[in-house]
């Protein structure tokens, strides 16, 4: 997969989202920034989804480059 991580749409089935995220369906929840699905609960939880985190890091890198 090239580029930034993709957002998991909130309409995605929880079981399918859990498979994509590598967790159990009951650990899936909404990212507070984009409302996409993320591994929100349980061990290894990431409240902010990987797509939002990658966009934030790219913004930091761009603003710090100059």
């Amino acid at each position: 997969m090239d580029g930034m991580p993709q957002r998991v749409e909130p309409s995605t089935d929880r079981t399918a989202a859990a498979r994509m995220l590598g967790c159990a369906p009951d650990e899936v929840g909404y990212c507070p920034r984009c409302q996409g699905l993320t591994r929100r609960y349980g061990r290894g939880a990431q409240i902010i989804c990987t797509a939002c985190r990658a966009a934030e890091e790219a913004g930091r890198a761009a603003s710090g480059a100059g």
Side-chain angles (χ1 to χ4, degrees), residues 33-44:
R33 292 188 183 169
C34 72
Q35 298 303 306
L37 296 176
T38 188
R39 184 179 195 162
R40 178 85 191 246
Y41 308 103
R43 187 175 175 154

Side-chain angles (χ1 to χ4, degrees), residues 11-12 16-17 22 24 26 28-29 31-32 35-36 41 43 52-54 57 59:
S11 60
T12 305
D26 63 344
V28 174
C31 171
Q35 298 303 306
Y41 308 103
R43 187 175 175 154
C52 287
R53 197 170 310 121
E57 290 297 318

Side-chain angles (χ1 to χ4, degrees):
M1 185 169 169
D2 292 319
M4 291 178 49
Q6 296 296 307
R7 176 177 180 256
V8 179
E9 293 296 323
S11 60
T12 305
D13 176 71
R14 295 275 172 161
T15 304
R19 268 191 235 126
M20 293 189 312
L21 296 167
C23 65
D26 63 344
E27 294 178 347
V28 174
Y30 295 101
C31 171
R33 292 188 183 169
C34 72
Q35 298 303 306
L37 296 176
T38 188
R39 184 179 195 162
R40 178 85 191 246
Y41 308 103
R43 187 175 175 154
Q46 297 178 342
I47 304 300
I48 306 301
C49 73
T50 56
C52 287
R53 197 170 310 121
E56 184 178 297
E57 290 297 318
R60 275 192 210 141
S63 66

